[in-house]
Amino acid sequence: MALNIDEDGTIFIHQGDSGEIVVSGISTDNDYTVYFAVQDKNRNTIGSELSVQSNYQSYVTFVLSGSFTDLLTVPDDDDFAVYHYGLKMCTDDTTEDTLFVVNYDYGQPNNIIVFPKKVEGT
């Protein structure tokens, strides 16, 4: 498995690896657009926000490509780097709701722990 998500919603991945993030518990009353974004410690967005349609389903799947996670760099002197992610659910009528991850409290970041790339691959 290229990425792992623990019970608190922390994502663990190696830089340059790909993986899928399944977000469940979405209301089925609308065809929501669900967004996923990653920020560094200074709140700079890394790459572009990803978006998927819920299609009236209770879950969506985000696919993190190797080229996307390659943007999550780890300084040479560090064993890992910490990034933060957010999720938002929107409708066409401008309704926007930030989604909470398991055990989320206001002010608590959703973390992505990134480990250095081990091999380049294709």
Side-chain angles (χ1 to χ4, degrees), residues 37-104:
V38 177
Q39 295 180 336
D40 65 16
K41 64 182 178 182
N42 297 316
R43 298 187 191 154
N44 297 311
T45 301
I46 306 299
S48 298
E49 287 188 359
L50 305 178
S51 67
V52 293
Q53 292 300 126
S54 70
N55 296 317
Y56 299 92
Q57 299 294 311
S58 63
Y59 68 93
V60 296
T61 302
F62 289 97
V63 177
L64 304 185
S65 67
S67 60
F68 181 84
T69 68
D70 211 28
L71 301 172
L72 306 176
T73 60
V74 180
D76 289 337
D77 295 337
D78 292 341
D79 293 331
F80 61 89
V82 179
Y83 290 85
H84 308 293
Y85 71 94
L87 296 162
K88 186 172 271 195
M89 183 172 72
C90 302
T91 62
D92 289 337
D93 67 0
T94 67
T95 298
E96 297 189 19
D97 289 317
T98 298
L99 299 177
F100 294 133
V101 178
V102 177
N103 298 326
Y104 179 84

Side-chain angles (χ1 to χ4, degrees), residues 5-61:
I5 304 173
D6 74 8
E7 65 277 355
D8 290 328
T10 299
I11 299 169
F12 299 87
I13 192 165
H14 281 94
Q15 179 188 2
D17 281 3
S18 59
E20 294 183 353
I21 298 170
V22 177
V23 178
S24 59
I26 296 172
S27 176
T28 58
D29 66 341
N30 205 318
D31 180 17
Y32 293 98
T33 303
V34 184
Y35 295 89
F36 174 88
V38 177
Q39 295 180 336
D40 65 16
K41 64 182 178 182
N42 297 316
R43 298 187 191 154
N44 297 311
T45 301
I46 306 299
S48 298
E49 287 188 359
L50 305 178
S51 67
V52 293
Q53 292 300 126
S54 70
N55 296 317
Y56 299 92
Q57 299 294 311
S58 63
Y59 68 93
V60 296
T61 302

